[in-house]
């Protein structure tokens, strides 16, 4: 059974950092397109970034230079390093997997294309 579990969320001051983790079970994360999404209260879910099976990462413009995606294949864990956090980064963050694309992330990703989702971890950034 495929399962994704996020952790690492919390409250942080503007300018601070957090590292989110997404632990997968039931499948190998490194074989698929893995992505981070977020949803702020009252807003649509938006794509944050993704990493392909060869390690190539892509990011939404609003996080470029501040967020970084990596994965530890031995631990079956995906990470999202978030630096220089802003108040507007406050959201529930989700990891998701697209298993039907052969390890490629065809941008722009749409949430309907993702096959598996975690339940999310909340990030709150305040001044």
């Amino acid at each position: 059974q495929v399962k994704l579990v996020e952790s690492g969320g919390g409250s942080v001051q503007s300018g601070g950092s957090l590292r989110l983790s997404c632990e997968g079970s039931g499948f190998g994360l490194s074989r698929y397109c893995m992505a981070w999404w977020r949803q702020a209260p009252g807003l649509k879910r938006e794509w944050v970034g993704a990493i392909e099976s060869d390690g190539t990462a892509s990011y939404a413009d609003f996080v470029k230079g501040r967020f970084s995606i990596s994965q530890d294949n031995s631990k079956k864990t995906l990470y999202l390093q978030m630096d220089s956090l802003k108040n507007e980064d406050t959201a529930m963050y989700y990891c998701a997997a697209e298993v039907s694309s052969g390890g490629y992330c065809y941008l722009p990703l749409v949430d309907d294309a993702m096959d598996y989702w975690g339940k999310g971890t909340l990030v709150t950034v305040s001044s």
Side-chain angles (χ1 to χ4, degrees):
Q1 180 181 358
V2 174
K3 191 174 182 182
L4 297 171
V5 180
E6 302 93 338
S7 62
S11 296
V12 63
Q13 286 195 323
S14 179
S17 298
L18 279 175
R19 188 177 80 157
L20 306 184
S21 300
C22 171
E23 186 173 354
S25 59
F27 75 122
L29 270 69
S30 62
R31 297 173 57 188
Y32 305 115
C33 170
M34 298 298 300
W36 286 97
W37 296 74
R38 70 185 189 185
Q39 186 168 22
L43 299 180
K44 291 183 179 180
R45 185 160 51 192
E46 60 183 357
W47 174 69
V48 173
I51 187 166
E52 298 182 316
S53 59
D54 67 354
T56 302
S58 302
Y59 302 93
D61 287 344
F62 55 80
V63 302
K64 275 182 183 175
R66 300 190 299 123
F67 290 12
S68 176
I69 296 174
S70 61
Q71 56 188 26
D72 185 329
N73 296 331
S74 65
K75 295 182 179 179
K76 296 185 177 181
T77 302
L78 179 74
Y79 300 102
L80 179 66
Q81 177 67 42
M82 305 187 296
D83 299 319
S84 302
L85 282 162
K86 305 176 181 179
N87 289 7
E88 52 263 42
D89 293 319
T90 294
M92 186 71 80
Y93 283 73
Y94 301 89
C95 70
E98 183 179 7
V99 301
S100 56
S101 63
Y104 296 101
C105 297
Y106 294 103
L107 303 180
L109 286 178
V110 294
D111 51 8
D112 286 350
M114 309 309 294
D115 298 298
Y116 299 102
W117 291 87
K119 293 186 177 181
T121 186
L122 181 63
V123 172
T124 304
V125 185
S126 58
S127 301

